Amino acid sequence: MDNTTIGPASTHALEAFEAHAEVARLLGDLTDFGLIPAGTYEIEPPAGPPVVARPLVDPASAFYAAVLWSPIEGVYVQVTTRFDDGSALTSTSPTSEDLAEVGEFIDALALITVHHGDSSTELAESGSTALKVDLDGIAEAFGEDQSRLIETAFEAAPEMAASGYLQEALSEQSDEDVEPATRLTAYTDADIVHREFVQSVIDWLAGHGLVTEEISGYEMDELDDDAWSEIMADGEVVIDGSGPVPWQAVVDIAVLAEAQVDMDSVEDEVSPFEVSLALDDPEGSWITPDLLRQLTQELAALSQAIITYCEPFDFGANLYCDGLEAGAWLQIHSPRCIEHFGADRFVEATPAASITDLGELGLLVQLTPEPASTGDLEDLGIAWAEHLGEIDLPEWDNSLRLTAGDVYTEPDGEPWAADDDDDAEELADRRGVEGFNQTYHAMFVLADPPLVAEALARGRGTATRSEVLGTAQDVTAEHLLVYRIGGHAWTGVVDCSAAERALGVAEAKALSAELATRAILHFVDPAVEAIAFELWEEGELVEQFGFGLHEAAPGPFAGTHGHGLAAECGIAPGQPGLSFASALRDVDPDSINDPYAFVDHCFRIQDCYDPSWTFEELLSLVTGDPIDPADVPIDPADVEALLIVE
């Protein structure tokens, strides 16, 4: 194979690279984080178009990042840590084009998390040390690492790489490099949301020599009541330890109401609770077919499972038949499953499956006498699914999750789920909060956009500009953008994060009083996992929520509060940094075990939708330039009105 060549970027390549808006955004994020650009390079693979890249060095850490642009795949980011034994680890983001298809963006700072600071030491193999890469050495290091990655891509998928799809080719190699393991999974609607059940899982594992050493990051001697409260509130318990083979168990105890379920997710279709055990023993020195049958039966009994699987965990094309994990070589169908599919399906001649009666547990179905890979089981899994003749598993009993304290019911019947909107659903029909993955600060007012803009301008002593959508406007950081999505009653207001006069409590109080209406203030900062919500009605603060803030109240919205609500904020002992107070309803703060879902719920019961649009994203609608959907997540057709408050 011809060698990869890397050299300084040509003028034409540099112009094409810097003209891409996503490149500029990512470079800005990385330099703001403290990374230093270290030249721009043009990479010529053995075949296919060249790739343009700009590496950036972190002077404080042993890693470097690179923003790359391919005319075939678009923009992506790589973060690399090098070690003194000659090895290197590179993390790669999805491409911008792939993410644009689902309305998302590359998060470069999230990608460097595992390479930054103390985390970098965990990447090193035993005995090796992470090496710093400085400005003087970046050209040589970057050249070596790119040559290695491109060679790997061509070895994994030559035709794909030669066509310019280097990242897809590397993904193929990543899948091949994964060591196969075995996974046992039980789905249940039994009540497992408590420490006693987790302890029963620990005892069960210990009976097989799998000794627990750590639970969700806590060592066993650190597990006090506060630690357990934090673990249970997280919705997932991860159990790690030692034993004859590497293993990990997960108890997924996420509190799910029916309205919260994404019906495209197999796990959510099956049941609200899941218990799984992954075992890594590729040589089969400890795991035997008999042991797996025993473990699967014990897990089914322990969790009172609807259905239990034992399957290869080889990252292959796992066969989910619309809810039925039919590709698992070993399956235990409970009496509920048998009744659902029909008892005759389990007694007639079945395609390549043997069936054993387990009494109260149900029936053990084996597609093969011994474990087999996902690929080898594909035809058998399809035949078994067709034989059962049903595409869905039995519905779970969700009454456990629909009790007081688990679901916030004001008014009755309103959903409280976070992010349960279908991506295909029109924005006019959406309610709640679209996402919590970027920092922004917004206000929503239950009034028409011109009334909101004019009231804001009067309060600030400035002017408004109306009907600016699609026009070229001069906008500064001190301006406000006022918008409304078609089909909605609430008007949104956003400010620039760099504004000296931030949108805040004073304006929410004044607008709600002047317009005799309601106003919502919303603040999100995912970097520190902080979120705040305030509801104002006719000049009075009637509801206040904070999580991850330095103070319980008023958090980021400093100002005068009504009802004495700030002093009445209840603190949640099980959720450090969480507080809530309301003049409208009674909710125990300690029952709010998902702060993001709760804020989403607060928006829904007000019939309000926060699309999570930032000032910068809305600003793209008033440049006068054509809008590229790949760069801007806002469709102008969704925006009913857009105004500027100077």
Side-chain angles (χ1 to χ4, degrees):
M1 184 179 73
D2 295 335
N3 292 330
T4 297
T5 59
I6 301 176
S10 65
T11 301
H12 175 73
L14 182 61
E15 290 176 350
F17 178 75
E18 293 183 337
H20 203 292
E22 182 71 348
V23 168
R25 182 185 71 83
L26 291 167
L27 290 173
D29 288 349
L30 292 169
T31 53
D32 288 347
F33 190 74
L35 275 67
I36 301 173
T40 307
Y41 298 88
E42 195 165 352
I43 305 166
E44 292 277 358
V51 176
V52 186
R54 181 170 295 173
L56 301 95
V57 174
D58 185 346
S61 300
F63 77 89
Y64 71 87
V67 178
L68 302 96
W69 173 73
S70 159
I72 301 297
E73 294 188 293
V75 180
Y76 53 97
V77 175
Q78 292 178 344
V79 182
T80 300
T81 298
R82 314 183 93 226
F83 304 105
D84 61 357
D85 62 358
S87 64
L89 175 67
T90 298
S91 303
T92 302
S93 74
T95 64
S96 58
E97 293 188 1
D98 286 344
L99 289 175
E101 293 179 359
V102 294
E104 296 182 2
F105 293 87
I106 297 171
D107 187 345
L109 301 187
L111 190 67
I112 69 176
T113 300
V114 296
H115 294 259
H116 181 254
D118 294 339
S119 299
S120 64
T121 60
E122 300 176 6
L123 301 177
E125 297 291 339
S126 177
S128 63
T129 303
L131 296 175
K132 289 185 68 66
V133 179
D134 55 23
L135 287 171
D136 293 334
I138 185 62
E140 180 180 358
F142 181 69
E144 291 177 356
D145 294 334
Q146 286 301 310
S147 297
R148 169 181 53 83
L149 290 170
I150 291 174
E151 181 179 354
T152 302
F154 274 84
E155 289 176 352
E159 294 183 3
M160 187 181 296
S163 299
Y165 292 95
L166 296 171
Q167 297 310 297
E168 285 195 31
L170 285 171
S171 297
E172 293 284 326
Q173 177 66 28
S174 297
D175 287 347
E176 293 176 5
D177 287 344
V178 173
E179 289 290 338
T182 297
R183 181 172 60 189
L184 285 70
T185 307
Y187 296 109
T188 179
D189 55 9
D191 186 4
I192 61 173
V193 191
H194 49 76
R195 289 167 56 176
E196 289 76 11
F197 179 78
V198 176
Q199 186 60 54
S200 71
V201 173
I202 294 171
D203 294 341
W204 167 59
L205 296 170
H208 291 280
L210 305 176
V211 179
T212 299
E213 296 178 340
E214 187 176 278
I215 297 179
S216 296
Y218 285 95
E219 295 184 5
M220 300 303 287
D221 59 0
E222 299 174 333
L223 285 169
D224 55 17
D225 289 344
D226 289 341
W228 274 111
S229 295
E230 180 180 342
I231 291 170
M232 302 305 283
D234 187 50
E236 183 179 75
V237 180
V238 180
I239 308 172
D240 293 286
S242 60
V245 295
W247 63 276
Q248 183 182 78
V250 176
V251 181
D252 185 351
I253 58 172
V255 179
L256 299 175
E258 186 174 17
Q260 191 175 357
V261 174
D262 174 5
M263 294 311 292
D264 292 331
S265 167
V266 172
E267 288 82 1
D268 288 342
E269 276 189 23
V270 175
S271 83
F273 304 128
E274 172 185 347
V275 186
S276 64
L277 171 64
L279 300 164
D280 186 8
D281 184 18
E283 303 299 325
S285 59
W286 183 70
I287 296 176
T288 65
D290 286 340
L291 176 60
L292 289 177
R293 278 186 284 268
Q294 178 184 349
L295 291 172
T296 306
Q297 292 180 48
E298 291 173 353
L299 180 58
L302 182 69
S303 59
Q304 303 174 51
I306 299 171
I307 193 163
T308 311
Y309 298 111
C310 179
E311 61 182 326
F313 189 36
D314 58 5
F315 290 85
N318 207 332
L319 183 65
Y320 295 107
C321 293
D322 296 320
L324 177 67
E325 209 162 330
W329 77 281
L330 198 64
Q331 309 167 25
I332 296 179
H333 292 250
S334 70
R336 281 175 58 189
C337 274
I338 297 167
E339 180 182 3
H340 173 71
F341 290 118
D344 59 322
R345 298 290 86 188
F346 296 86
V347 295
E348 294 180 358
T350 59
S354 64
I355 297 178
T356 303
D357 190 343
L358 300 179
E360 294 181 355
L361 283 182
L363 297 175
L364 174 68
V365 177
Q366 284 189 232
L367 298 186
T368 56
E370 297 186 358
S373 70
T374 300
D376 292 341
L377 286 167
E378 182 172 0
D379 292 340
L380 294 174
I382 292 173
W384 172 241
E386 291 176 346
H387 173 78
L388 289 177
E390 289 280 350
I391 62 171
D392 294 318
L393 286 169
E395 294 183 359
W396 67 79
D397 176 10
N398 61 16
S399 61
L400 285 172
R401 311 304 341 126
L402 299 179
T403 57
D406 290 328
V407 176
Y408 309 101
T409 54
E410 174 62 34
D412 290 341
E414 285 292 331
W416 65 285
D419 298 331
D420 70 336
D421 290 304
D422 190 328
D423 288 339
E425 186 177 22
E426 298 292 336
L427 262 61
D429 299 324
R430 298 191 189 189
R431 299 296 184 270
V433 181
E434 187 64 31
F436 300 93
N437 60 356
Q438 57 183 344
T439 301
Y440 69 100
H441 181 193
M443 179 169 67
F444 296 86
V445 183
L446 188 57
D448 291 337
L451 294 177
V452 174
E454 290 165 6
L456 284 167
R458 281 194 297 273
R460 292 188 166 214
T462 60
T464 65
R465 293 183 231 162
S466 302
E467 299 180 3
V468 299
L469 181 64
T471 66
Q473 299 287 325
D474 292 327
V475 181
T476 73
E478 298 308 314
H479 290 165
L480 301 175
L481 298 179
V482 180
Y483 70 94
R484 183 157 73 179
I485 297 172
H488 287 265
W490 289 77
T491 293
V493 186
V494 294
D495 63 358
C496 179
S497 59
E500 293 184 6
R501 182 178 179 178
L503 191 67
V505 164
E507 283 159 319
K509 177 182 175 70
L511 257 68
S512 66
E514 180 179 344
L515 301 178
T517 188
R518 291 188 171 191
I520 292 172
L521 277 173
H522 187 209
F523 167 81
V524 178
D525 187 348
V528 294
E529 296 186 359
I531 185 171
F533 169 92
E534 287 189 355
L535 175 63
W536 290 78
E537 184 170 9
E538 298 186 9
E540 297 290 340
L541 178 63
V542 295
E543 198 157 273
Q544 183 181 64
F545 173 83
F547 175 71
L549 309 174
H550 293 297
E551 300 175 359
F557 308 124
T560 304
H561 296 254
H563 287 308
L565 207 56
E568 297 174 6
C569 269
I571 308 300
Q575 284 271 38
L578 186 151
S579 63
F580 177 73
S582 176
L584 304 176
R585 53 183 171 154
D586 293 324
V587 174
D588 179 4
D590 202 31
S591 70
I592 305 174
N593 43 29
D594 186 337
Y596 299 96
F598 182 66
V599 170
D600 181 86
H601 152 76
C602 291
F603 272 84
R604 289 174 185 273
I605 64 174
Q606 297 300 325
D607 197 39
C608 185
Y609 172 58
D610 180 357
S612 304
W613 292 344
T614 65
F615 182 89
E616 290 73 20
E617 289 169 343
L618 281 163
L619 192 61
S620 65
L621 302 180
V622 292
T623 62
D625 298 326
I627 296 173
D628 184 353
D631 296 330
V632 181
I634 303 176
D635 185 345
D638 290 324
V639 182
E640 176 185 277
L642 180 62
L643 302 88
I644 295 173
V645 176
E646 296 178 345

